[in-house]
Amino acid sequence: MMVMKRTTCRVCIGQNLHGVLSLGSTPPANAFLRPDQLQLLEQSFPLELQLCRDCGFVQLADVVSPELLFRNYVYVSSTSPAFVSHFETFSETMIGRLSLPGGALVVDIGSNDGILLRPFKNRGRRVLGIDPAIKIAEMATSNGIETKPVFFSPTVAGEIVRDHGTAHLVTATSVFPHVDDLDEIVEGVKILLAPDGVFVIEAYYLRDLIEKNLFDTVYHEHLSYFTVHTLCALFKRLGMEVFDIERTDTHGGSLRVFVQKRGGSRPPHTAAIDQFFAEEETCGLSQEATFIHFGQRIGENKRQLLQLLGELKSAGKKIVGYGAPAKATTLLSYFGIGKDTIDYVVDDSSWKQGLFMPGTHLPVVGPEHLAVDHPDYILILAWNFAEPIMKKLVQHERFIIPVPRPLIIENIVDQDLYSIIQSLGKEAQLLSGKTVVITGGSGFIGSYMVATVDMLNKYFLPESCRVVSIDNHIVGKKNNLLREISSPAITFLEHNVCTPFTVEGSVDYIINAAGVASPIYYKKYPIETIEGTIFGLKNTLELARVKQAKSVLYFSSSEIYGDPDPNVIPTPETYKGNVSSIGPRSCYDESKRLGETLAMSYHQVHHTPIKIVRPFNVYGPGMSSKDYRVIPTFLSQGMEGKALTVHDKGNQTRTFCYVTDAIVGFLKVLLFGADGEVYNIGNDNDEINMKVLADTVAEVVFDNKIAVNLVSYPDNYPQDEPRRRCPDLTKAKKSLGYSAKVDLKVGLKRSYRWFKNSAALS
Ligand SMILES: [Zn+2]
C-alpha cells in the first residue's frame, strides 16, 4: 500500500476530520526522477489539510508510505554550515538548561548524519542516533556516531534501554511532524526516558505557516501542523506533560517544546504556555474560517503570479527557477507552473543535478548554467531565502519572488528595498493603513524611505500606507532619486518647509529628513542652511502638535559631536560634543544641535513624541556624485577614469553605513524608539581612514586600474574636519535590536553598480 487514508485525528483519536484546504494531487516532493524514469507513470497523492472539529488539530489524512518517503532519503544535514552551527548552539544550551551530567545518554530520533549528536559527543555525553535511511545511518556510524537504521518504536526503545540504559535527553527535531503514529513514538519515548529525562521536539508552527503564507511547506512528508494547544493535548492524553515552549526561526518558524513524564520534577512554565494559548485563540488557529481565508489568499497569489509570468513570456522573456527544495514541488504543482514557463531549475546540491523535478519534470541543473545562459528573470522557488540568494547571484539583477504576492526585482535598488523590508519583518505591518509625512522626501534618505513604503504597499501590507512627501526639490529630483514613483497612496508636494504647511487628514508618523548635508553647499549658503534646519523643524513640530502624531523622527547628525576627544571614540549618545560655534562648519553643526534642543523643548512643553537620530556617514545608491561626499566622489572619479583624490594625508577616519542598514535603523527608531531619546545609527564595524578607503575603492570597484592621489583641500571646502568618527551603537543594539549587516566592500560594489546604471540612463 503506497497510501493510507486515516479517518481518526492523530491528537485526540476523534473521527471528526474535515477538509479545509486542498492543494490538489502531487507526487512526493522529494521524488526526483532519473531520465529513464520520465516515461513511467508517476504516482500522485492527494494533498489536503484536514481540521479536527473536536480538538482543532490540522493534519494530512492521506499518509504516503514512510518506506517510500524516507528509506532512500539522501539529504545530508551536515552539508549546510548554518545547520551545523545551529546544533552547536543547541547542544550547549541543552546541556546547561537541563543540567545534563557528563556521560548522560542523548538519543536523537531522525538523526540523519549525526549533525545534532556530534556536539553532544564532543562535550562528553554518550550519544545514539536512530534513522531509517539505511545509507545515511551507515555513514553516520562509520563516522563515529552510532546510528540504528530503523523506524523508532517501543520495541526499539526497549532494546536501547537494554543495551545502553535510559536516556537523559531524547530529541526529535525534524521528525515529529513526519510521523503518522504519534502514539507509538511517545510510548517509545516513555520507555526510553530516565525518570527525570526530557523529550525535546521541534515542529514547524501552524501560526507561522498561516501568517507567513508558507503553504508550500505542506507536502506529504509533513503530516502534522501543530499548535501549542494541540501539542499539549497530545502529550496529556499520552501521560506526559509539556513544561516549556519557545519559538525558533527554523523552517520559517517553529516551536521547540520541552516534555517530561507526567508528574516529573520540572515545574511547568505556566505563564508562557497560557500566553501561547491566548494568542492562538485570537489568531483563530482552530477555526475553519481562518483556512478559508488562507485558501483565498493563496488563490489570489496564484492568479497574480500566473498573470505576471504570462506577461513576461509573451514579451519573449527567458525565465528559469532557482532552488529545488521539497517546497518547490508543492508550489510549482499547485500553481501549475511548468516547462512552458520556465526552462530549468538551478540547484546547488549536486545529487539533484541531472535529475527532473517530480510532477513538472523540469530539469535540475547546476548554477554554472546561469553564467552561460543569462536568463532575463530568475524565479526564486526557495523564496524564504530570496535575500541571500540574490546576494549570492551578484551577476544577476532581475528576480521574481513568488510568495506572498509576486514581486519583481528589476535592479539593485529593488534588492535594497526588499532587504530593508525583510530586516523589518513583521514590524513593518505597523505602517498598514497609516499616514506618514516625510519632509525632504526627495533627498537621499527621504527617497529610500518613500520607496520602501511604496514596495511595502504593493507587496506586503494589507492596507496601503499613505505617504505625503514634502520637498522644495532644490537638491533632489522632483519625485524620487531612485526611480519614478507613481502610486495613489503617495503624494509629492513641492513646498519649502521654511514656511508653515499642513496636510489633509490625520497624520500618524512624521519624518523630518529635510536639510542639506553637503559641505560645499553649506559653506556657500550658511544662512539658508540654518534657516532650513530650524524653521523647517519648527514647522514640522507644529504639524506634529496639531495632528497629534504618534511618533516624530528628527534627523540630527553625527556632526554634532564635532571633533570628539579620542577617549570617547567610539562615541556614545551621552557625549556632549566638541564643536566650534564660529568655525566654517558651525552653520551646519550648530543648527543641528539647536534642532535637537527645539525638538526636546516640544517634547517637554507639548509632549510631542519626538525621537532623535544621529546618522554616521550613510552611503549607497541614490547619492549624488556632485555633493562632494567622499564615497560618491571616489566612484564618479573612478568611473570617469580619473585618479581618486584624497585630501591632505588622508589620516581622517570614518565609519560608513550602507543605506539599507541605516533605513532599518531609522524606521526602528521611529516605530519603537522611546520619546525624547537620542539614538546613534551607523556602522561600528570598520573604522577606516580616507587613504585606505580610496585604496579599497580602487581595488574592489576598479580592479586597481585607477590611481589614488593625495591633494590639499580645495578652497570651497570647510577645513575643520573631525579627525576620527565612529559611533557607539550600544543603545540602538540593546533597545531596538539594531545591527549593521552590510560589509563596506559589498556596499561599495552595490553603490557603484547603481552609479554606472544611472549614468547610462541619464
Ligand atoms: Zn482531534
Side-chain angles (χ1 to χ4, degrees), residues 432-731:
S432 180
K434 300 293 194 306
T435 295
V436 182
V437 171
I438 304 180
T439 70
S442 300
F444 171 46
I445 299 294
S447 290
Y448 259 91
M449 292 275 194
V450 174
T452 299
V453 176
D454 187 42
M455 186 182 274
L456 276 170
N457 282 346
K458 287 197 177 115
Y459 303 104
F460 299 98
L461 295 184
E463 242 183 290
S464 280
C465 172
R466 182 171 77 111
V467 176
V468 182
S469 161
I470 300 174
D471 202 298
N472 60 359
H473 302 126
I474 60 163
V475 178
K477 290 190 181 170
K478 292 268 170 200
N479 175 294
N480 191 291
L481 280 179
L482 303 166
R483 80 262 305 271
E484 190 74 14
I485 286 181
S486 161
S487 155
I490 298 178
T491 318
F492 294 91
L493 294 182
E494 185 162 317
H495 180 84
N496 185 338
V497 289
C498 292
T499 46
F501 58 93
T502 188
V503 168
E504 269 179 50
S506 65
V507 174
D508 300 284
Y509 298 103
I510 301 181
I511 299 170
N512 177 263
V516 182
S518 159
I520 300 293
Y521 178 89
Y522 61 66
K523 183 158 188 199
K524 195 170 170 190
Y525 303 106
I527 296 170
E528 288 82 352
T529 298
I530 297 168
E531 285 176 348
T533 305
I534 299 305
F535 296 154
L537 176 61
K538 160 90 178 157
N539 293 329
T540 308
L541 289 167
E542 273 301 305
L543 181 75
R545 186 181 65 79
V546 171
K547 296 286 182 180
Q548 306 256 299
K550 286 186 181 59
S551 182
V552 183
L553 185 67
Y554 168 54
F555 275 87
S556 178
S557 167
S558 57
E559 297 268 348
I560 69 126
Y561 296 122
D563 193 6
D565 185 323
N567 294 321
V568 285
I569 295 174
T571 310
E573 288 86 350
T574 46
Y575 180 63
K576 289 175 185 159
N578 172 26
V579 191
S580 163
S581 60
I582 53 173
R585 306 173 83 89
S586 58
C587 64
Y588 183 73
D589 305 351
E590 290 288 1
S591 57
K592 284 290 183 191
R593 287 173 72 91
L594 179 57
E596 291 196 3
T597 313
L598 181 61
M600 290 304 285
S601 303
Y602 264 75
H603 175 57
Q604 282 153 20
V605 176
H606 299 297
H607 308 288
T608 307
I610 190 85
K611 286 94 181 167
I612 297 170
V613 281
R614 294 176 185 154
F616 282 69
N617 295 65
V618 180
Y619 73 101
M623 284 187 95
S624 165
S625 59
K626 299 184 187 75
D627 75 0
Y628 292 85
R629 281 189 272 190
V630 61
I631 288 179
T633 303
F634 285 165
L635 294 178
S636 64
Q637 285 173 332
M639 199 161 62
E640 291 164 17
K642 297 177 186 161
L644 313 185
T645 53
V646 178
H647 295 154
D648 206 17
K649 297 194 182 64
N651 289 336
Q652 324 89 297
T653 71
R654 296 290 183 271
T655 56
F656 293 93
C657 182
Y658 190 65
V659 63
T660 54
D661 285 333
I663 298 289
V664 171
F666 300 151
L667 288 172
K668 278 176 181 278
V669 174
L670 175 74
L671 297 172
F672 304 104
D675 294 345
E677 290 286 332
V678 182
Y679 298 87
N680 286 339
I681 293 293
N683 185 333
D684 55 357
N685 294 326
D686 331 275
E687 188 179 345
I688 187 172
N689 78 37
M690 294 305 103
K691 172 68 169 65
V692 178
L693 175 67
D695 292 341
T696 307
V697 171
E699 185 201 328
V700 305
V701 179
F702 300 110
D703 296 327
N704 284 323
K705 287 173 188 144
I706 294 287
V708 173
N709 288 345
L710 300 178
V711 298
S712 46
Y713 280 105
D715 290 342
N716 63 349
Y717 200 84
Q719 297 195 6
D720 54 346
E721 280 194 288
R723 287 158 296 179
R724 283 181 68 192
R725 188 176 291 148
C726 176
D728 181 331
L729 297 172
T730 311
K731 185 172 177 181

Side-chain angles (χ1 to χ4, degrees), residues 9 12 52 55:
C9 168
C12 73
C52 171
C55 74

Side-chain angles (χ1 to χ4, degrees), residues 8-17 51-57 59 230:
T8 56
C9 168
R10 260 177 215 107
V11 161
C12 73
I13 316 296
Q15 298 197 330
N16 211 352
L17 297 184
L51 175 73
C52 171
R53 282 177 168 161
D54 293 339
C55 74
F57 177 52
Q59 54 206 302
T230 50

